[in-house]
Structures are given as C-alpha cells and as structure tokens.
Amino acid sequence: MGRGKLRIYLGAAPGVGKTYAMLSEAHRRVERGTDAVVGFVEHHGRPRTEVMLHGLEEVPRREIAYRGTVFTEMDIDAVLARRPAVVLVDELAHTNVPGSRNTKRWQDVEELLQAGVDVVSTVNIQHLESLGDVVESITGVRQQETVPDEVVRRADQIELVDMSPQALRRRMAHGNIYKPDKVDAALSNYFRPGNLTALRELALLWTADRVDEYLRQYRTEHSVSTIWHARERIVVGLTGGPEGRTLIRRAARMAAKGSGSEILAVYIARSDGLTSASPKELAVQRTLVEDLGGTFHHVIGDDVPASLLEFARGVNATQIVLGSSRRKTWQYIFGPGVGQTVARDSGPDLDVHIVTHEEVAKGRGLPVARGARLGRGRIVAGWLVGLGGPALLSMLLTHIDPDLGLANDMLLFLCMTVAAALLGGLLPSLASAAFGSLLLNYFFVEPLHRWTITDPKNIVAITIFVFVAVSVASVVDVAARRTHQAARLRAESEILSFLAGSVLRGDTSLDALLERVRETFAMESVALLERTSEVDPWTCAASVVTSSGKPLLRPEDADVDMPVGDNMALALSGRVLPAEDRRVLAAFAAQAAVVLDRQRLVGEAERARRLDEGNRIRVALLAAVSHDLRTPLAAIKAAVTSLRSDDVAWSEEDEAELLASIEDGADRLDHLVGNLLDMSRLQTGTVTPLIREIDLDEVVPMALGGVPEGSVTLDIPESLPMVAVDPGLLERSVANVVENAVKYSPGGTPVHVAASALGDRVEVRVADRGPGVPDSAKDRIFEPFQRYGDAPRGAGVGLGLAVARGFAEAMGGTLAAEDTPGGGMTMVLTLRAAAGVAPVRADLPAQATT
C-alpha cells in the first residue's frame, strides 16, 4: 500500500476562500466518480461555505468532554474504517482537544497519509512555524497554533488562494467572514490594509520558493542542463580584486529593472588554497552584496571558467556579470582569460556581461602563486620535454656540431632535465636524466654508437651528470611540495581567522556556517547532529542540503563525521575528505557547536528579558489598579451611594456637587485607561499614523480641553507652515505634555505654549515654572511608569510623557526636555514641515548685543 497524496490550499489570511476552494475541489472529484468524504470542515457560520457542504458525505465527528464542555474533533478511526479515496481535513495547524489520539491535526493527517488515503487540507501563511516571529512583528499577534514548515513542504501539491487586501476587507465589511459585531474590531486591528499586504507578500514569496524547489528537483531528476528562464538570476563572478564592488553594484542595477530578480555573487577558489584574492576585500564585497539583497557563495574549483559556468547552470542563472581582465597585454600569451572563456562556453541560454572598470589592464595586485598539484597539461609537457628534448638535442648536436665537447653536451642535456623538473615534477626529470645519460653514452662518448665506455674519465663524467640531474630534480620537487604545504597552511589560517573573527563578532548564524562548510569542502549535505536520549539518539539541530543531496539523520549515514564532544557531531555527505582537511573541519565543528549554544543562550536571554519586562509592567499595572484606578472608582462609588441613599434629602447644590465628583472621577479613569491602551499599542508596534498636512492652530487648541481655563497661554503664529502629522496622535501627544506641565506648574502661573519654524522643522514648546528636572533624569521621565521626585500617587501612573514621545516618534518627530530659563522645564516637540513648503529662515536681528 502506497503513501497517500497531500494537497494543501495555502492562504495569506482568514477569509480568502481556502475552505471554499477545498470544497469546490471535492465536488469536482465527486462528479468524476472519486470517493471523497469530509473528515473535518469548519464553516465558522459562513453561509456560502456551509452551502458547499451540501451533497458531500461527512464522517461523524468524535465527541470529547474537557473541563465540563463537550468538543468535537475528527474521528480518525471512523475515517480509516470508511477508507475513502480522498478525505477533506480543514485547518491543518489546529490543536486537538486534550484526550485526542494526537496533539496536532497535522499528525492526524500524517496518519491518514500513511494509511494510503489522499488528503486535501487548508492552512494560512501565518501558521507556518518559521514565520511566527515575522507575523508577530507585522500584526502584533503571536500565533499559538502552528504547523512545521516541513509538513507543508512535503505536500504533493500546494495551491495559493490569493485575494487583494481591498477585496478581502470588502468581503469582511459585507459580513461574509465574521459576524457583524466583530467586523469593526477586525478591520481596525488584524485586517488592516498594511497587515494584509505584508501577509500576502509573505504567502507569495513562500510559494515562489516552493515552486523554485519543484523546478530544481525536476531539472535534477531529468538531467536538464540548459537554462530555463523562469526567473532572472544574475551571477557575479568575483576575483577578490578591487573591481568587485563595481560589478556588484552594476548587477544590482540590472536586477532592479526586473521584479523578482536575484543576485548571487560567487568567488571561485582553487583547491590548493593558492589565491591572489584579498580576504579583507572579499569580506567587504560579501557585506555589500548582502546589503543589496543578494547572497555570497564560496566555491572550490581548479578550472575557474568551468566552475563558474557549472555554478551558474546549477542555480538556473540567466546572466553572468564579469569584469574586464586586469591582466597586462603580454600576459594574454598564457591564454584568453576567464571572461573570454566563459563567454565562449556559456552557450545561447546564458548571457555574459563584461563590465569595464578602473583596474582594467593594470595587472593583478598580488602575484599568482604556482601550486604543486600540477595539471594534466603541465605533466604532459614535462614528459615531452624530458624525453623529446634529449632526443631532439641529440639530433641537432650530431648534425650541426658533433665536436662541441662532452662537457658542453652534458650541460645542454642537464638543462633539459631541469626544464622537465620545472614543468612536470620529479618523475619526468628522473626519466630525462636516465634517457639523457644513455644518449650521451651512445652518441658522444667513445666508442660512438655503442653502449660501452672505454675511458674511465667519461664514466665519472656521466655518473656526475646523472647525480646532478637527480639532485636538481629532487630539490625542485621538494620546493614544490613545500610551496603546496605553505599554500594549504595559508588557506587554513585564513579559514581559522574567519572562524575566530566570527566567534568574536558573533555575527554568523548556524545555517550560514553550515553553508560555508558545504561550499568550502564541496559537499552535498551538511548537518549538525545532537544526541538527546538513548531511545532516539540523534536529532538534527540544523542542516544544509543541495538539490542533489540527501538529509543526514545519523553520523553513520554520512561520508565524513566529526565528533564534537560526547553528544554532538558534524556530518557531511558528498565525498570522503583527505586526512589533512579534517583539522580545518574540526575547527568548523567546534564553531558550529559554539554557535548553537550561543543561539540557545540568546533565545533564553530574550525569553528572560521578556519575562522581566512583563513582570515589571505587571507590577506597575498592579500598582496602578491598586491605587490610581481605585481612587477615582472609590470617589464615584461614594457619590453614587450617597445619591441613592433614601435617608438624606440632598439639595440641588449637593446633587450637582456629587454629580460633578462622579464626572471628574470618570474623566480621570478615562484618561488613565486611555494612556494604558496607548502604551499597549506602542509596546506592540500597532500604532499606524495617518499622515496628512494640517495647520497647528487647528490641532493644538483642541488639545487644551482637559486643563483648567486660564492655566495655559497660547502663541501659535498664523504664518507657520503646515506640518505633516496624524492630527489625532498630535492632539493626544500635546494634551499629555500640557497636562503634565499644568500638574507641576505652581498655582497662578500659566503654562506657555508657543510654536516656531526653523528650516524644514516646526517646534512646539511647552514651558512651565515648576521645580524642573535635573539633566540626569531628563531621559528617564519618558520611560513608562516613571514619575519623578515626590509626585503624588494620584497624579497618574507615569505614562503620559511616554505615550507623548511614542506618538511623536511614530509621526517622524521628536520630544525632548530642556530647562526653562529662570526655572522650570520646557518640553520641545519637533515636527516635520509639510512637503513643498519653503524652508523658513530664522529671523535674526542685524546686530546682536550681550
């Protein structure tokens, strides 16, 4: 029995029509004769969705009692007993009621798939586990019900159910999603246009990545090597030279012309570790390409053009950006160069752009070191020179000048041996020495054309020739091996330096580090495995897998595994590493363990910080509820109790006084609760200002309604430019600042509110003659639940200035405290002047005197 197939309808938000689309699919399958049933579908009281259930067989749900209430969940046993071809299971991320067989509904679906039943399900993008933090930062709501991304990625089909934010809000307003009493709250909170647009973009990007995975998998399975222009991908070839920044910026401009374009910068390093690249310049270019939204890749390859083309075709790139060669003219005798070779071999499906820059033809900044791992061409050349050179030299000396002398002949043959050693290494040079000695004996030592030597002096000469030739060849080979060792040590030192720097900076994520390991050692899969228990000994903490690789779940499945302590191992799959590479791999493994521990510590520190912040706010709220909120409530309660008393006959003046006391207490409560709600919105990041142009004299006077008459003097010139603000937020911010100033200003001394313009900013200054605040406390008074000095408990919960600053910053302005000349404190609210208004020049007197 095969595994069932999973089809998922993915939506950006509730109400886009996922369940409706799933039910429509069920009706189409039933009409085609497919045995489809409803395992669990929740219509949420939506009439059009409920109608779609008509005509479909529903498997009875299982009733579960929990805490005195009866809930219904999908009955897996009933579905398996019915054994349909297709079952509909709504809300994949749902958490089952305690007492169910599985904790999560996706686990129920997994059980059905294992039984060979096809499943059609639905899920919203905000329920994917990896996007929880992103969705919370957008909407201010933490999703409690989530589903692992891998469960959704394993689906055989994923269909995106899309709808524009405007259409979804219209559907909401018409009552097609929620009941009428919940529509206004939903539209003003979760279903705001900005939230819906961001969630829609998340859904589109996630689905596009999934489609990209399908495309790569298909190309790998069918061995498709040609480029499919499904998406613009621009590969930038870097050498580590100074021209790399120019190439990256040019590629970014090219990518900006097409929506969805992707930049991939790649540096090809030779396997011997010898390179002319500057590590510092490469680090700068990596930062630049990541800042521009691209990715940086480090690839090992001895043939740079072939490796670059292989990488470009592997990522399905459409364009390659290379810089004009920095080689001087005479250096072209060694070959056409990387740019011309890539352009020649790229084929018709890959465009190559050669970009000019300031370093063209200036030569390379560092000489290219010669490695000891010789290529096939050099080895062949060494054998040709070592064997063909002595033979050709013998023919020339025999026919041109046979009487040159044995000593000169030996020096010429020795030159051939040295040339063979420089080109091909030890073996060609040894063969050249042996072959040259035989030719010297046959053609130039008496008796000629015989393999014998009669003169003892000639025997000594030929013996010395062979000894010198072998010695020179050995020295050249030892020097080459030492050069190779130095190159490896240099490459290792650069890698270890990178790891040490990343440890100090703490700027390398675990996934990025594993990707660096994969690229450095040219592997297919890399995983950091951790031992958790004896029953299930290994779990994967993080992994990086290419399209041709396979996930690693145990060290035994890997080609290379590097233990890290007793409970962790770094596993690699793709090829077996030589022994000399394991030292660097051990450093990577140790760094991976450090990064994993750091991530966990950071997470624990963040949770502790949130708990501490929540505890601090909770204590402050308890203090506010215990006194600042109870005081006006007690006054209201006393006044109401007095009015309702039948034992006292209250006069009209007394009743008016009691009613005024009730109104005053209600106003204080309204003010305190309003500040608490405003602070909550600021803390959760849900304040969305609606900026428009307005005159200050239309807003500031309205903010003075909560202070006693005559306690404020106002100076707002009519010549001031308009400001770009949210009128409601500005009014609340000014009101809080003025009320705070009036509270601390001595009786009979009004607070002065004035406005002025300077440049492209407009300042509103609120000056009082109160006790003032020292410089050390000027920033602290803007923190939530802070009240300076001996402020009375009834003066509020210490949120007014915090809310005022939060609203000011949300509108792009600032709020700061200054000393009032002569005593007191001045609050300076700085706002942006409206666009298109000419900057105001400060009117200064022609002469200033002191």
Side-chain angles (χ1 to χ4, degrees), residues 676-824:
L676 287 172
L677 294 177
D678 290 339
M679 198 66 233
S680 174
R681 293 169 59 200
L682 289 170
Q683 292 284 349
T684 57
T686 57
V687 175
T688 304
L690 302 176
I691 304 298
R692 65 185 182 90
E693 298 178 2
I694 194 170
D695 288 320
L696 276 179
D697 55 7
E698 297 182 22
V699 179
V700 175
M702 299 175 60
L704 308 181
V707 297
E709 186 176 353
S711 61
V712 177
T713 61
L714 194 60
D715 182 13
I716 308 293
E718 296 181 357
S719 59
L720 285 178
M722 301 178 73
V723 291
V725 296
D726 183 315
L729 298 185
L730 176 60
E731 180 183 345
R732 192 61 181 271
S733 183
V734 173
N736 283 0
V737 172
V738 172
E739 289 175 7
N740 184 79
V742 171
K743 184 189 309 177
Y744 288 95
S745 188
T749 304
V751 172
H752 186 60
V753 179
S756 60
L758 181 62
D760 60 348
R761 315 294 287 183
V762 175
E763 291 184 349
V764 178
R765 308 178 74 87
V766 181
D768 64 61
R769 293 295 180 179
V773 174
D775 294 339
S776 59
K778 280 187 171 61
D779 286 333
R780 194 166 65 249
I781 61 176
F782 292 103
E783 296 179 3
F785 304 107
Q786 294 292 325
R787 292 183 298 185
Y788 177 71
D790 57 351
R793 296 291 298 176
V797 295
L799 287 177
L801 294 182
V803 170
R805 171 175 275 190
F807 284 170
E809 292 176 349
M811 296 184 293
T814 61
L815 179 62
E818 297 179 356
D819 291 330
T820 302

Side-chain angles (χ1 to χ4, degrees), residues 14-17 20 43-50 163 167-180 183 191:
V16 294
Y20 191 93
H43 56 75
H44 296 289
R46 299 167 187 170
R48 297 187 179 182
T49 305
E50 188 175 3
M163 178 176 290
L168 183 57
R169 284 172 60 85
R170 284 197 300 270
R171 176 181 288 186
M172 173 75 70
H174 294 160
N176 295 331
I177 301 177
Y178 293 152
K179 294 181 179 180
V183 169
F191 285 82

Side-chain angles (χ1 to χ4, degrees), residues 76-133:
I76 302 177
D77 294 328
V79 174
L80 293 176
R82 171 63 174 76
R83 196 156 197 84
V86 180
V87 60
L88 309 185
V89 182
D90 204 5
E91 298 179 354
L92 187 63
H94 171 75
T95 301
N96 293 329
V97 175
S100 302
R101 179 186 305 179
N102 298 310
T103 305
K104 304 287 289 188
R105 184 165 293 165
W106 64 264
Q107 296 172 328
D108 297 340
V109 169
E110 188 67 22
E111 190 172 338
L112 294 174
L113 293 174
Q114 292 291 345
V117 179
D118 293 348
V119 178
V120 182
S121 187
T122 65
V123 70
N124 283 327
I125 192 68
Q126 66 264 29
H127 293 298
L128 294 182
E129 199 167 75
S130 66
L131 300 178
D133 294 337

Side-chain angles (χ1 to χ4, degrees), residues 612-623:
D612 181 67
E613 179 70 15
N615 184 64
R616 188 177 69 86
I617 293 178
R618 184 160 47 249
V619 171
L621 285 175
L622 287 174

Side-chain angles (χ1 to χ4, degrees), residues 82-359:
R82 171 63 174 76
R83 196 156 197 84
V86 180
V87 60
L88 309 185
V89 182
D90 204 5
E91 298 179 354
L92 187 63
H94 171 75
T95 301
N96 293 329
V97 175
S100 302
R101 179 186 305 179
N102 298 310
T103 305
K104 304 287 289 188
R105 184 165 293 165
W106 64 264
Q107 296 172 328
D108 297 340
V109 169
E110 188 67 22
E111 190 172 338
L112 294 174
L113 293 174
Q114 292 291 345
V117 179
D118 293 348
V119 178
V120 182
S121 187
T122 65
V123 70
N124 283 327
I125 192 68
Q126 66 264 29
H127 293 298
L128 294 182
E129 199 167 75
S130 66
L131 300 178
D133 294 337
V134 179
V135 173
E136 182 180 11
S137 66
I138 294 171
T139 64
V141 178
R142 182 69 180 183
Q143 298 294 330
Q144 300 300 324
E145 295 189 335
T146 60
V147 58
D149 291 45
E150 188 59 30
V151 174
V152 182
R153 289 184 181 276
R154 285 200 305 262
D156 299 275
Q157 298 181 56
I158 298 177
E159 182 171 332
L160 178 64
V161 182
D162 189 26
M163 178 176 290
S164 68
Q166 294 78 11
L168 183 57
R169 284 172 60 85
R170 284 197 300 270
R171 176 181 288 186
M172 173 75 70
H174 294 160
N176 295 331
I177 301 177
Y178 293 152
K179 294 181 179 180
D181 58 339
K182 297 182 179 180
V183 169
D184 291 339
L187 288 176
S188 59
N189 290 283
Y190 193 88
F191 285 82
R192 289 179 296 178
N195 290 359
L196 297 178
T197 302
L199 292 174
R200 187 189 190 196
E201 183 178 11
L202 275 179
L204 292 171
L205 290 175
W206 195 92
T207 307
D209 289 340
R210 181 58 177 154
V211 172
D212 208 28
E213 291 177 13
Y214 280 134
L215 182 60
R216 285 198 299 268
Q217 181 180 356
Y218 180 87
R219 283 165 52 83
T220 301
E221 292 175 352
H222 294 79
S223 301
V224 179
S225 59
T226 58
I227 303 297
W228 287 3
H229 297 263
R231 182 178 181 183
E232 285 292 335
R233 286 186 176 87
I234 304 174
V235 171
V236 184
L238 301 178
T239 64
E243 78 282 357
R245 306 183 201 183
T246 302
L247 303 184
I248 293 171
R249 293 189 180 98
R250 179 64 60 86
R253 291 197 297 271
M254 295 168 58
K257 297 179 180 178
S259 178
S261 298
E262 185 178 355
I263 303 175
L264 301 94
V266 58
Y267 170 69
I268 310 293
R270 297 186 185 277
S271 59
D272 56 12
L274 299 174
T275 175
S276 62
S278 167
K280 181 178 180 181
E281 182 64 27
L282 274 180
V284 172
Q285 294 173 14
R286 174 194 288 267
T287 302
L288 176 60
V289 72
E290 290 175 351
D291 289 343
L292 293 174
T295 56
F296 184 91
H297 303 267
H298 190 282
V299 178
I300 305 296
D302 291 323
D303 190 341
V304 174
S307 300
L308 182 60
L309 289 171
E310 181 181 359
F311 174 83
R313 292 192 173 99
V315 299
N316 199 29
T318 57
Q319 301 180 62
I320 296 179
V321 176
L322 298 173
S324 296
S325 178
R326 288 185 282 133
R327 296 193 298 176
K328 296 184 180 295
T329 304
W330 62 268
Q331 292 177 314
Y332 282 95
I333 62 176
F334 299 108
V338 174
Q340 295 185 24
T341 305
V342 170
R344 181 191 64 201
D345 299 339
S346 61
D349 52 358
L350 192 57
D351 297 335
V352 179
H353 303 268
I354 305 296
V355 179
T356 59
H357 49 85
E358 295 179 353
E359 303 296 325

